[in-house]
Amino acid sequence: MAGPWVLVGGALAGACIAGALRRWSAISALWAAAVSLALATLSWRTVRLPGFAVEMAQPAYLWGTSLALSSLIQALLGLVFTAVTFSVLGTLGRSPDRDIPTLSLAASGLWAAALMSQDLMVTALILAVIAAPVAVLLRPTKPGHPGAAVRYLLITALAAMALLLVPAFINQAPLNPQDPTPQLIAGALLGLGWALLTGLMPFHTWLLLTGSEARPVPASLVLGTAPLLSMGLGLTWLERYPWLLTVAPRLPDWLVWIGLATAAASGVLAAVTPDLGRLWGYASLIDLSALVMALGVALASGTQGAWMVLGGGMAARVVSHAAIGWALIESRGRFRTRPWAAGLLALGFLSLIGYPPALGFFARQPLYQVQTGPGVAFLFLAGTGVIVGLIRMLIATTPSQRLSSGEADEIRRLPLLTVVGLALLLIPGLVWRMAGPLVAALLRQGVRGA
Amino acid sequence: MLGLKTWPTELLIAIVLLGAVGMPLWGGWRGRLMALLLQYLGVGFLLDTLLSPEVGLAHILAGGLAGVVLYLGARRCQTDQIVTRLLMPGTAFDLAFRAVAVTIVALVVWTGHRLAPWPWLPAPMGLVVYSLAGASLLTLGLAPPTIEAGIALLALWNAFELAYARLASGPAWLGLISLIGLPWALAISYLAYPPAGRLEEGD
């Protein structure tokens, strides 16, 4: 059973070491070798195909709310966090772009409508319309091909096509357990649409280009919210079409495996990527991988746990992306002379990949407390790849020229900004930990009372 | 009502196929925009044949508006002068490369049409769907400037509309699907315009 994994580990090691020796530093090669060796060792010792023993160990994390209320909370969280993130970045980052608030709020409203919609065709059409303001938000800072925006338009168009075709197959015939072909095709189309919208590999290239091309504020907005809201859409479909889990009973296992594969690949690529924007994209993919794994784990005991996982992920993800975008604006690429910005950037990345003491670590508690075998270890390894890449980036930044008086003022302001950034990262996590059980108990009492 | 059903289907299919072949073959945004408008015209008439004149007319009107938006956007930014391209458009080598690529994609399209026909469409229209999808994906694969990528994206959506015509719940849905091209055309026109210098400083 472990043989194929050793082969995979060896192949990964060979490919990454070759890539690292050709263009990048020795530390990347060491990281690639380490992750491959760890993959092989872990699979040798603990991985038992075909899947993981998935069960929620802490039902206290679930809110005792109805599914409709959970959907509403999810949509409102998206709106609130998008608005708060914009306000913080727009005020402190002094964004001169007047189009960002209008477009981001329009996109948020449309996303909420898509989440609330009970008709798949309406959802698909709304998603197709959302693509336009999001693409405008992703406009690059320099002339040339707006690769991220055009790819996002294409990806959304393909997803809308897949989703529009689904009702034709669902309505073709009622579910027949002996021959569920129409439902299987519909499920495959739903899964394809979901993977396209969420940005899972191999449909992730727009995520990477977003970090490299787009302005930091809209990049952090889109990276922080769009993939996660797509995940919420996937959950609403699972609730609306319960036969999905009947025709694909191994779906939770598949999600765990997809998350693991994406995390491992992203970690290795993050360690050897030569671009800070792409590193941001890979860190985002690792966060997505953790959420996909968590969804798989939570789905084993129903969609309510999965909604809870997404709620926690939403807070951590949006705030982490906001911190990274903010640090990029403040540093303007000169991290050596602006250590506070570098520190905030590192903290944002730590939160995104789920390392303590940042918010992302707290948001992943439900995932860490379940029996996922080596899955969590894989995530930590993948996160280490991002850290290796980040250290290389920060070391490689060139020293700045003599600072102007305005820039010196900005540097004096940075400690204050960093304290606010730390609070943004840490306080929601602490509040979440302390108030979560209280809110859950209150909601349960309210539901029972009703 | 519009008398479009009197048009021979073969002529309509020939118009769309001309647009499909022309899209990757003609270099520059003007040629590709003309090819897109031909496609919209042909697909609109075919939708009239398949469903109703209203649907066909809505499709042609939406395509015309999207074409105007893309034309104005392209005129404003003159992408051909901004973006340098690997194959140097206009040269004999560029044309030969495109001709070979179109031939290969045509073979793939024909094979796909023979092996996997669309069960809910007449066979010639299935060929049109495959051709439009192949031509648009080939154009996107040639890594064109933004406006031309947008034109290819709208061509792909055109192919989907024709394939989806018999599956839609009603003509109103198809009308809405046709209108999706408008915000996309607006976004593409905006993206094609080079950003102002102030944005290069960050945010």
Side-chain angles (χ1 to χ4, degrees), chain A residues 5 8-9 12 34-44 264 378 381:
Chain A
W5 283 91
V8 168
L12 271 174
V35 77
S36 305
L37 193 65
L39 270 170
T41 311
L42 280 170
S43 59
W44 184 284
F378 276 30
L381 283 170

Side-chain angles (χ1 to χ4, degrees), chain A residues 161-339:
Chain A
M161 289 177 195
L163 297 181
L164 282 169
L165 286 172
V166 171
F169 290 97
I170 293 177
N171 300 330
Q172 205 174 74
L175 178 61
N176 174 10
Q178 307 302 324
D179 181 24
T181 309
Q183 281 75 20
L184 272 177
I185 296 175
L189 286 169
L190 272 176
L192 177 66
W194 179 76
L196 282 162
L197 289 169
T198 307
L200 291 183
M201 281 185 178
F203 312 117
H204 66 290
T205 53
W206 73 270
L207 281 173
L208 303 182
L209 289 176
T210 294
S212 306
E213 283 184 4
R215 295 159 290 171
V217 172
S220 63
L221 280 171
V222 175
L223 285 176
T225 51
L228 209 56
L229 289 167
S230 305
M231 284 200 179
L233 269 181
L235 276 183
T236 61
W237 297 336
L238 277 171
E239 288 168 358
R240 199 179 309 150
Y241 309 120
W243 48 261
L244 276 171
L245 284 172
T246 310
V247 297
R250 300 263 311 274
L251 185 64
D253 275 347
W254 294 348
L255 288 176
V256 173
W257 281 106
I258 288 171
L260 276 185
T262 308
S266 305
V268 171
L269 293 170
V272 296
T273 189
D275 180 75
L276 188 57
R278 283 175 181 265
L279 187 70
W280 189 5
Y282 284 123
S284 183
L285 268 175
I286 289 172
D287 183 41
L288 274 180
S289 310
L291 282 168
V292 170
M293 284 179 63
L295 282 185
V297 169
L299 273 180
S301 57
T303 48
Q304 273 198 329
W307 278 116
M308 185 64 196
V309 165
L310 272 192
M314 173 73 79
R317 186 177 176 83
V318 174
V319 176
S320 312
H321 279 294
I324 293 172
W326 187 7
L328 289 176
I329 293 168
E330 292 299 333
S331 69
R332 296 183 183 175
R334 288 170 287 195
F335 291 106
R336 280 195 185 178
T337 54
R338 302 183 184 199

Side-chain angles (χ1 to χ4, degrees), chain A residues 56 58-65 298 301-302 304-306 308-309 440-441 444:
Chain A
M56 288 294 285
Q58 293 288 330
Y61 277 99
L62 307 181
W63 286 1
T65 57
S301 57
Q304 273 198 329
M308 185 64 196
V309 165
R444 267 197 295 273

Side-chain angles (χ1 to χ4, degrees), chain B residues 110-126:
Chain B
W110 181 253
T111 312
H113 168 61
R114 296 297 299 272
L115 293 180
W118 299 86
W120 56 84
L121 280 182
M125 294 200 190

Side-chain angles (χ1 to χ4, degrees), chain A residues 431-444:
Chain A
V431 170
W432 186 268
R433 291 286 290 164
M434 292 166 66
L438 180 65
V439 172
L442 287 173
L443 282 170
R444 267 197 295 273

Side-chain angles (χ1 to χ4, degrees), chain B residues 26-89:
Chain B
W26 299 335
W29 63 268
R30 287 184 179 82
R32 287 183 172 151
L33 190 57
M34 281 303 295
L36 179 72
L37 291 177
L38 269 182
Q39 292 170 19
Y40 263 110
L41 199 67
V43 171
F45 284 180
L46 287 176
L47 286 175
D48 168 37
T49 313
L50 277 175
L51 294 173
S52 68
E54 290 83 1
V55 173
L57 189 62
H59 185 84
I60 293 172
L61 285 178
L65 282 173
V68 168
V69 169
L70 288 173
Y71 176 78
L72 293 176
R75 278 291 300 272
R76 195 177 59 162
C77 65
Q78 291 294 321
T79 53
D80 288 350
Q81 294 171 14
I82 293 167
V83 180
T84 56
R85 281 184 281 173
L86 182 66
L87 291 170
M88 291 182 292

